[in-house]
Structure formats: C-alpha cells, structure tokens
C-alpha cells in the first residue's frame, strides 16, 4: 500500500482544547469546520464531546453530519444559513445560527419556532466581510430580542488582523464592538485562536478556537503550549546516489553540488502537499531534519538523505513533530490552515 499516513493524535487535540479554554476563560467553541481543518470532523468532535462547550462549523451540512453521528453539544453555524429553507435544519437539529445579514434576520423573524433558539448575532466591527454595521447592530439585536422564537443572543464579531500583534486594527475593532454593544445585555464572543493567545481584551464569554486547537500557532513558528495534532509521514521507497552536477526532477531546477544520496518518497501535490514548497523545504528522515531537493511532483518528492544512511524504508515526516506545518507553509508562501485542509489520499489513523 502507498505509505502516506496522516496520524491524528486525539490526546493532543484534548490537551489543546483544555489549554486554550484555560487561557481564554469562560466557554470555548471547538471550531471543526472544513472537516476539522482536514483532521476529520466526526472523529475530532467525538474526542472532544465530553469537554467542549460547543462546536462551530461553516454550514448546515457540516452540522447535520455531526448530529447524525451522535454529537449532542451545541453547534454554531458561523455563517448562518445560506437560504431561508435551511432554518428547517436549524430547528430540526437544534443548531445555533449566526445572523450576519438583513435577509438572514428577516427570514429568521418570519418563521414560526416551536422551540426558542440561540442566535449568534454578528457585527461587522471592521473586517467588512459579513455582519451588521455597528450603527445597525442595536436595531437587529432589538428585533431578535422581541421575537418569541429567540431565547438567547450571543453578540459576536471576527478580527481581521489578530495574528499580527502590532496591527492597530484589532484595537479599533474592539472599540467599535464595545461601543455598539453598550446597553445590550447578554454573552459576547470575539476571540479566534490568535486573539485567545494574544489579545487579552478579546477574551469574553465564548472563545472560538480553530487552528490552535490543532496544535498550530496562528503566529507562525511554534508554541510550546500546543501539541501538533496531525503528523503527516511517508516512507522512502526508492533511492539512488547521484554524481555532482546532476539535475533532479521536473524542470531540472536543482543540480547536485556533490555526490548526493536521494530518497524518493510517496507524497506529492495531489496529496495536498504544496508544489511551491520545493528545494530546501524541511522534512525529517527518521527524526533527523533534511530537505526536499528538486520540485514537488504530483505523487512523489525527492529528499536528500544522509550519505551513510540506507534510505530504503526510512520514515519521512512531512510535518508534525520535528518539522512544523508552519515551516512548510512559509516555504510555500501560504498558511498552515490551507495545508491542513488540503491533505488527501493519505491514510488517516487516530490515536487516543
Ligand atoms: C474559522 C473561524 C474561527 C476560527 O479561527 P482560527 O483562526 O482557526 O482560530 C473563529 N471564528 C470564526 C467566525 C471563524 O469563521
């Protein structure tokens, strides 16, 4: 079998949840949208079910899949519904929809609700993607408050730049949010992973942890408080020794400068490994850091081996414990979120 393995350490996931909840205080949503950032939403949610105050997903479909698998915790729809009819699913599966636009609000108010629901009312405090403008927020809040179908309202907003500690945008958003919420009762939620870790003033009643839950620092680099959940690894299934001045791979973009032992591994861009992370991107061969040489191809990558090493069968970590996914993301000019969400064709196994 093709030896590409994504090991998901559920004990690390639990550790991260508990760590982030302690840092944030109050309650914490475990964000498991996009199949738990590529880690497997159903498995991750069940591993957290006894700890998590709630889960958050990006669509009713994602929420229904969790409910049908037996998850009973609150589930927030971060983007709300995409069409009015989806409020049927909200009612049937007891979901907590975000409301971030006028049509979502009106469709919610126009419906009969057998059981009163919790609504997450989104404010656009400056990111300008979704949510009510600060000067329209109180009116939306009041309309929901007066609706018999609404039991609770959680006031929330999302930061554009929380992963840039020096960026003044976060303070501006905080100020806009607090000003527009003056006099409006109830719970609040502002912090994503970066704000949980880096913006104390954003820690309110509910945190919303995504990337850090999977053990990845939202600031790049690593954070010793977090444990990486996914370890992506494969094996050397071919090797050769090349003479100096030999080209390797598509485009002949890399030439050996010395006699070089080259290992061939089973992973490529069709597995979600970024093609832009070519020569010099770190990998770990049997726990020792080495590097990719040549271009990443669809199904294979060539790595530099220790000249003394018998490479065949050696384990190669693409990211996980020795190589951080943030390092690979940086080499590819992207972010860890994208890499984790893109992993495919790998064999996923789960450890407790
Ligand atoms: C995805 C998402 C989060 C989680 O963000 P991370 O940076 O992964 O922690 C939080 N809030 C909202 C509204 C989101 O869409």
């Amino acid at each position: 079998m093709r030896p590409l393995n994504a090991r998901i350490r559920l004990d690390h996931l639990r550790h991260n949840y508990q760590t982030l909840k302690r840092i944030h205080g109050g309650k914490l949503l475990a964000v498991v949208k996009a199949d738990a950032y590529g880690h497997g939403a159903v498995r991750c949610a069940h591993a957290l079910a006894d700890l998590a105050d709630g889960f958050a997903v990006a669509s009713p479909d994602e929420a229904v899949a969790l409910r049908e698998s037996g998850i009973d915790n609150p589930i927030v729809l971060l983007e709300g519904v995409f069409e009015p009819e989806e409020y049927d699913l909200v009612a049937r599966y007891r979901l907590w929809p975000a409301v971030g636009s006028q049509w979502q609000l009106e469709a919610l108010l126009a419906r009969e609700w057998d059981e009163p629901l919790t609504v997450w009312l989104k404010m656009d405090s400056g990111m300008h993607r979704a949510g009510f403008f600060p000067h329209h927020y109180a009116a939306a809040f009041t309309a929901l408050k007066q609706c018999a179908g609404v039991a609770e309202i959680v006031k929330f907003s999302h930061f554009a730049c929380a992963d840039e500690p020096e960026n003044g945008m976060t303070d501006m958003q905080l100020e806009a949010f607090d000003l527009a919420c003056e006099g409006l009762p109830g719970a609040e939620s502002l912090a994503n992973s970066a704000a949980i870790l880096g913006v104390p003033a954003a820690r309110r009643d509910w945190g919303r942890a995504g990337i850090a839950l999977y053990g990845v620092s939202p600031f790049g680099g690593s954070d010793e408080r977090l444990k990486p959940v996914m370890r992506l690894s494969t094996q050397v299934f071919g090797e050769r020794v090349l003479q100096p001045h030999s080209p390797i791979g598509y485009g002949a973009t890399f030439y050996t400068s010395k006699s070089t032992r080259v290992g061939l591994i089973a992973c490529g861009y069709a597995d979600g490994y970024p093609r832009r992370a070519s020569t010099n991107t770190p990998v770990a061969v049997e726990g020792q850091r080495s590097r990719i040489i040549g271009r990443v191809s669809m199904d294979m990558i060539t790595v530099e081996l220790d000249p003394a090493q018998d490479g065949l069968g050696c384990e190669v970590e693409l990211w996980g414990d020795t190589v951080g996914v943030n390092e690979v993301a940086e080499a590819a000019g992207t972010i860890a979120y994208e890499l984790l969400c893109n992993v495919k064709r790998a064999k996923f196994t789960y450890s407790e």
Side-chain angles (χ1 to χ4, degrees):
M1 199 165 66
R2 189 163 177 270
L4 181 63
N5 298 302
R7 184 93 175 143
I8 307 298
R9 282 86 58 97
L10 297 171
D11 51 331
H12 290 192
L13 185 72
R14 289 174 63 84
H15 165 90
N16 297 334
Y17 182 87
Q18 288 166 307
T19 300
L20 292 161
K21 177 158 165 152
R22 193 163 52 242
I23 293 170
H24 181 271
K27 295 182 175 180
L28 184 67
L29 289 180
V31 180
V32 294
K33 64 192 179 189
D35 205 19
Y37 293 44
H39 293 66
V42 166
R43 293 299 299 263
C44 289
H46 280 270
L48 292 173
D50 64 323
L51 293 176
D53 301 308
F55 294 103
V57 296
S59 69
D61 288 15
E62 292 182 346
V64 169
L66 293 182
R67 279 279 180 267
E68 306 244 287
S69 80
I71 290 293
D72 210 33
N73 313 48
I75 303 178
V76 175
L77 301 176
L78 291 167
E79 290 148 49
V81 295
F82 296 95
E83 48 193 30
E85 294 70 32
E86 286 180 335
Y87 281 127
D88 293 348
L89 297 173
V90 168
R92 177 153 19 118
Y93 291 95
R94 295 168 290 111
L95 310 177
W96 291 1
V99 167
S101 65
Q102 192 62 29
W103 76 261
Q104 287 176 326
L105 176 66
E106 284 168 13
L108 187 151
L109 296 173
R111 243 192 89 96
E112 292 287 333
W113 296 92
D114 295 334
E115 239 183 284
L117 78 164
T118 295
V119 176
W120 281 51
L121 182 62
K122 185 162 193 173
M123 187 192 301
D124 176 5
S125 58
M127 189 167 180
H128 297 155
R129 210 175 45 168
F132 290 87
F133 288 128
H135 55 281
H136 293 148
Y137 194 75
F141 184 94
T142 305
L144 285 171
K145 202 76 190 162
Q146 291 169 348
C147 172
V150 176
E152 307 266 352
I153 305 170
V154 178
K155 295 162 284 172
F156 88 109
S157 193
H158 194 57
F159 293 124
C161 306
D163 56 341
E164 301 170 28
E166 299 305 312
N167 197 315
M169 176 103 185
T170 305
D171 280 339
M172 282 174 40
Q173 289 193 255
L174 270 167
E175 217 171 298
F177 181 81
D178 286 336
L179 192 62
C181 285
E182 245 170 48
L184 306 180
E188 299 178 351
S189 174
L190 286 173
N192 61 354
S193 295
I196 289 169
L197 294 169
V199 187
R203 297 172 190 152
R204 303 290 168 97
D205 303 279
W206 286 89
R208 310 188 301 268
I211 194 75
L213 188 60
Y214 304 100
V216 179
S217 169
F219 306 106
S222 62
D223 185 324
E224 64 195 20
R225 294 170 292 183
L226 305 172
K227 298 183 179 181
V229 175
M230 184 190 292
R231 183 168 185 272
L232 186 66
S233 68
T234 183
Q235 265 179 14
V236 174
F237 73 98
E239 68 167 335
R240 65 196 55 220
V241 176
L242 294 178
Q243 298 310 305
H245 315 299
S246 306
I248 302 181
Y250 281 116
T253 58
F254 180 86
Y255 276 77
T256 56
S257 59
K258 55 181 191 316
S259 170
T260 302
R261 187 179 287 269
V262 184
L264 183 63
I265 63 173
C267 181
Y269 62 77
D271 304 297
Y273 194 92
R275 180 174 173 278
R276 286 203 39 203
S278 290
T279 299
N280 289 335
T281 303
V283 296
V285 182
E286 296 288 335
Q288 297 299 313
R289 287 173 70 94
S290 181
R291 60 173 181 150
I292 291 175
I293 47 180
R295 271 195 193 148
V296 171
S297 9
M298 184 182 283
D299 312 306
M300 290 178 279
I301 295 172
T302 40
V303 301
E304 187 166 31
L305 298 177
D306 185 328
Q309 209 170 19
D310 181 12
L312 268 189
C314 276
E315 199 229 31
V316 177
E317 177 186 293
L318 285 318
W319 62 65
D321 296 332
T322 309
V323 174
V325 63
N326 273 330
E327 293 183 78
V328 180
E330 195 178 331
T334 182
I335 54 176
Y337 298 74
E338 188 181 32
L339 299 191
L340 294 172
C341 291
N342 276 349
V343 174
K344 45 191 169 291
R345 294 205 305 187
K347 178 167 186 249
F348 278 73
T349 57
Y350 291 83
S351 61
E352 293 305 325

